[in-house]
Amino acid sequence: MADLYPSIAQCAVVASAFKLLLLPAYKSTDFEVHRNWLAITNSLPIQEWYYEKTSEWTLDYPPFFAYFEWVLSQGAKLADPEMLKVFNLGYDSWQTIYFQRASVILTELVLVFALYLFVQSSPPASKRASHAAALSILLSPGLLIIDHIHFQYNGFMYGLLILSLVLARKKSTTLASGLLFATLLCLKHIYLYLAPAYFVYLLRAYCLGPKSIFHIKFGNALKLGTGIIAIFGAAFGPFAYWGQIPQLLSRLFPFSRGLCHAYWAPNVWAMYSFTDRILIYAAPYLKLPVNQDAINSVTRGLVGDSSFAVLPEITARMTFILTLIFQIIPLIKLFFDPTWDTFIGAVTLCGYASFLFGWHVHEKAILLVIIPFSLIALKDRRYLGAFRPLAVAGHVSLFPLLFTAAEFPIKTVYTIFWLVLFLLAFDRLAPASNKPRFFLLDRFSLVYIAVSIPLIAYCSLLHGIIWGEKLEFLPLMFMSSYSAVGVVGSWLGFLVVFFTS
């Protein structure tokens, strides 16, 4: 390990120093969300946490995250007790800002530790590649933008996810992997999207015999089941005792939200919405009926019920069925080939399916795909070929989260530097595959990356110069649709790679 330079610890120190410089940077409404949750968990009895609604940013994460906020609030008392008052809406003293920003940096140490273990547990032949992948995650522009500027705690939770994935690498720690993932589900329920892959892997690799699926390891099944019940009991048990589960679930799963988020996440529905937008103008020539009431919904993309002017409406049930279908496909291979690499591939494809076909997907959820994929992106050059467009599309799609002028050079220069540095390093480290590569996928990656620079320049700079205040939705639509093409292309390419490996 001595020749792996720079080390993860060294990069973590430098990255943390850089993030400290961003303490005064732009902060989104998520900053106030988490300040309010600090106040709720510190000031109110636990029975009132999921009923409190003084602020519109009500508590809507599972109980373990609420407990996590309570722990943070103990330190917040020392920084500025005023931030812990429920009625201090929008409170952002400099002590509050510095405390919350610092808490993100400190809790990200979980990610640093998980990445260190990932490299340590890698086979000697792939340690250098694993080290590069670990550094790419640690220095990810996605985590920088979402956590350290926009404001969230993804680094902490993705650290737990990676730690769980690493523990699944050895038979002796497979149980710990499953229990840690159950804990993660009780912190943030978005990880339910990855749960099918965990279920199949733990069933096949831990609860069933390696030679026969009819050989049930009852002892293992009992330990896993008892552990998961205990974890969920610790999280949800008190609320079940108070009869608050319906209220809690209504906070966790607000299905009244529309198909698309305010800014279209780069998925199938972004392409569907873009197509509908084009068909509005083509409809008179094609003699297609147009729903005039839906035109504003198509252009604004606001939270609420989404409507399409020309194409058929999409329901939540349809998105659920599509997500389930495209998750089951890789799970079939995982069931019959429960190796660690196949498991990571299945986790990645479950993340793809939920992101591409899910209901009201946030653009930030692309990290559910990028981070697990990064762990196997350097397995060979075919994997890297599928990863490249995802790395570009996923990170570029996050740019609209930061729309202020001061953060423009940070997000663009940092992301471009990251892409150039790590994609070139990955290209040198990825070994050749013993399977044929796909000419079309390789060329798609090159063309797709080349288009990103002029697109970013137009959407970020030129559009305002050319059009002023007109067509304000156009840059977002272009950015989302371009990113969607990259994510979908990457998904299709990885499906082929996954099933031919």
Side-chain angles (χ1 to χ4, degrees), residues 152-285:
Q152 278 190 358
Y153 289 93
N154 289 287
F156 162 62
M157 287 182 285
Y158 278 109
L160 294 177
L161 175 65
I162 293 172
L163 185 56
S164 173
L165 295 173
V166 171
L167 291 173
R169 210 168 199 168
K170 295 180 179 179
K171 289 184 178 180
S172 60
T173 54
T174 302
L175 174 62
S177 168
L179 298 182
L180 183 58
F181 183 72
T183 303
L184 184 59
L185 290 178
C186 295
L187 278 164
K188 191 171 183 179
H189 49 305
I190 193 173
Y191 295 100
L192 278 170
Y193 289 135
L194 309 182
Y198 270 87
F199 174 79
V200 172
Y201 182 73
L202 291 170
L203 174 68
R204 190 66 182 87
Y206 186 72
C207 297
L208 300 179
K211 296 182 179 179
S212 172
I213 61 173
F214 300 105
H215 175 213
I216 302 174
K217 299 179 179 179
F218 288 102
N220 286 358
L222 182 62
K223 285 186 287 186
L224 180 62
T226 303
I228 291 174
I229 291 171
I231 289 168
F232 276 85
F236 294 93
F239 301 94
Y241 177 77
W242 296 317
Q244 295 184 3
I245 292 299
Q247 171 65 16
L248 197 156
L249 292 179
S250 71
R251 288 284 183 88
L252 298 186
F253 303 101
F255 287 112
S256 60
R257 294 176 180 175
L259 173 67
C260 297
H261 192 231
Y263 160 59
W264 299 341
N267 59 10
V268 167
W269 307 127
M271 299 171 72
Y272 192 83
S273 299
F274 181 78
T275 303
D276 189 70
R277 179 68 189 172
I278 298 299
L279 287 176
I280 291 174
Y281 297 99
Y285 305 99

Side-chain angles (χ1 to χ4, degrees), residues 1-2 4 8 112-128 130-131 134 166 169-170:
M1 294 290 289
L4 297 179
I8 291 176
V112 176
F113 177 68
L115 292 172
Y116 171 76
L117 286 186
F118 167 64
V119 178
Q120 288 278 52
S121 66
S122 299
S126 62
K127 262 194 169 47
R128 187 172 293 278
S130 297
H131 183 70
V166 171
R169 210 168 199 168
K170 295 180 179 179

Side-chain angles (χ1 to χ4, degrees), residues 150 230 273 349 485 497:
H150 193 267
S273 299
L349 286 169
V485 170
V497 171

Side-chain angles (χ1 to χ4, degrees), residues 11 18 61 75 150 196 246 258 263 353 362 403 415 469 489:
C11 286
F18 177 66
Y61 274 24
H150 193 267
Y263 160 59
H362 287 244
F403 48 83
T415 302
E469 298 296 324

Side-chain angles (χ1 to χ4, degrees), residues 39 151 180 207 248 312 371 395 414 482:
F151 195 85
L180 183 58
C207 297
L248 197 156
I371 287 181
H395 291 112
Y414 187 90
Y482 164 81

Side-chain angles (χ1 to χ4, degrees), residues 4 119 126-137 374 378 422 425-426 429:
L4 297 179
V119 178
S126 62
K127 262 194 169 47
R128 187 172 293 278
S130 297
H131 183 70
L135 291 183
S136 76
I137 295 172
S374 298
L378 292 173
F422 283 103
F426 282 14
L429 291 169

Side-chain angles (χ1 to χ4, degrees), residues 326-327 330 344-354 491 494-495 498-499:
F326 286 106
Q327 286 191 336
I344 303 300
V347 167
T348 301
L349 286 169
C350 281
Y352 265 119
S354 60
W491 171 65
F494 185 53
L495 272 174
F498 180 75
F499 282 103

